[in-house]
Amino acid sequence: MTAALLAVGPADIGLTGLAASGGLIAVGVGISLWRRLGLERSLLWAALRALVQLLIVGWALQLVVDPDDPLIWSGVWLLFMLLFAAWTTAQRAAGVPKVFALSLLAYALSGVVTLGVLFGFQVYELEGRTIVPLAGIVVGNSLSATVLVSRQLLEAASEQRGVIEGRLALGLSAREAFRPHLQRALRTALVPQIETTKAVGIVALPGAMVGLILAGVDPADAVMVQISVMYLVLGSVATTTTVMSLGISRELFTPAQQLRRL
């Protein structure tokens, strides 16, 4: 599979093709104007921001994609990725105890587990061109689920305080009293990714597979890569949300097993 991917030449749509693709933004702007949605500036800003960010990333990737490039650059990239993801989680889930440290730990452990499997079993070669993109998939797809589970647990601790304290008064431990809310939050965070995995290839063709096919990769090889990516995403989301939820559930209670007031 790796040899087949390496044998494929780069796809080049050219500036004309890029400009034509960008013209599709005008469709969204036109719809916003027609239906008076007021989203014109947001659409244009999102398109411009994506263009600039991806151009910067494309330039920066030149430091890691060559097999001769030192892996230290990939390590620096991963560290920045983890810190930025943890900071983003802290901004979106404000109020969660120790959210930055917990999310940083969750993303790091998820990366160790999922990438450890892929590189440990030599599914992919340990190179900068594989480390950085795969780590980006792990962190990027785990981010929204991590924020979701954090918010769910915080809301449960606030809105269901009486129920939780009632269970504690009956003699249940903090873990047992909070378990139903933890399970509910985890299910809420995991179900969307599970449903996406179940529907892949039927409802929609994933972007990674489409990109490989457009680049000229044999469809069978593209499918194998996509399957490994989908399993990577599912495993990373499950790992990150589990670590995050267990960490938050511990921080919500005092050493005396009393629910903290947030």
Side-chain angles (χ1 to χ4, degrees), residues 116-192:
V117 170
L118 292 183
F119 291 125
F121 287 94
Q122 297 183 342
V123 179
Y124 295 96
E125 296 178 8
L126 185 62
E127 298 176 345
R129 68 184 184 89
T130 54
I131 295 174
V132 172
L134 290 174
I137 291 173
V138 169
V139 176
N141 285 278
S142 300
L143 181 59
S144 59
T146 302
V147 172
L148 178 59
V149 77
S150 301
R151 289 177 174 175
Q152 289 279 323
L153 292 175
L154 185 62
E155 290 177 5
S158 300
E159 298 176 1
Q160 302 296 321
R161 185 177 188 87
V163 175
I164 298 169
E165 290 182 335
R167 295 194 184 106
L168 292 172
L170 291 173
L172 273 67
S173 66
R175 178 183 299 178
E176 294 171 333
F178 198 66
R179 181 177 296 165
H181 307 288
L182 187 149
Q183 291 175 331
R184 190 176 302 113
L186 270 176
R187 286 182 58 85
T188 302
L190 286 175
V191 165

Side-chain angles (χ1 to χ4, degrees), residues 63-87:
L63 299 173
V64 300
V65 295
D66 194 291
D68 296 327
D69 291 330
L71 292 181
I72 184 64
W73 292 115
S74 299
V76 172
W77 192 309
L78 261 62
L79 178 60
F80 173 78
M81 192 184 299
L82 291 173
L83 290 173
F84 185 78
W87 177 82

Side-chain angles (χ1 to χ4, degrees), residues 94-113:
V96 175
K98 298 183 179 180
V99 60
F100 180 85
L102 288 175
S103 58
L104 183 61
L105 175 64
Y107 293 130
L109 287 179
S110 178
V112 170
V113 171

